[in-house]
Amino acid sequence: TRKESSAASDVYKRQIQCIETVTDPVEQNVLRLKYIHGDTLEVIAEKLNYSLRQIHNIHRHAVEHISIPPIAN
């Protein structure tokens, strides 16, 4: 329905806002690939030519660096 589509769009926009609070471009890219594109960490490691361990570490740091901006009404 239109309401569900609007809610999904709002969630997508919110995810992008949160990801954009991360200042490191590699961390931001890992978050985008995982949470926007739906890639696994294994696929991300292959795409970015990093080891899986490196991607796990980058992802962990990225999640620690996310700031949740206030919701605009």
Side-chain angles (χ1 to χ4, degrees):
T1 67
R2 181 172 283 185
K3 187 175 182 178
E4 289 170 340
S5 177
S6 177
S9 177
D10 290 345
V11 168
Y12 173 81
K13 289 176 189 174
R14 191 79 175 130
Q15 288 174 322
I16 295 293
Q17 286 176 333
C18 291
I19 290 169
E20 287 177 346
T21 67
V22 176
T23 57
D24 182 274
V26 175
E27 291 179 3
Q28 209 178 85
N29 195 23
V30 168
L31 292 175
R32 271 200 179 88
L33 290 170
K34 178 147 179 66
Y35 297 106
I36 303 302
H37 297 279
D39 292 341
T40 64
L41 294 180
E42 290 82 2
V43 168
I44 295 168
E46 288 180 23
K47 281 184 176 181
L48 301 182
N49 201 27
Y50 283 92
S51 72
L52 183 55
R53 173 170 279 186
Q54 286 173 303
I55 291 298
H56 275 284
N57 287 334
I58 292 167
H59 178 261
R60 181 174 42 82
H61 288 125
V63 169
E64 291 171 355
H65 295 144
I66 289 174
S67 296
I68 310 292
I71 297 174
N73 289 334

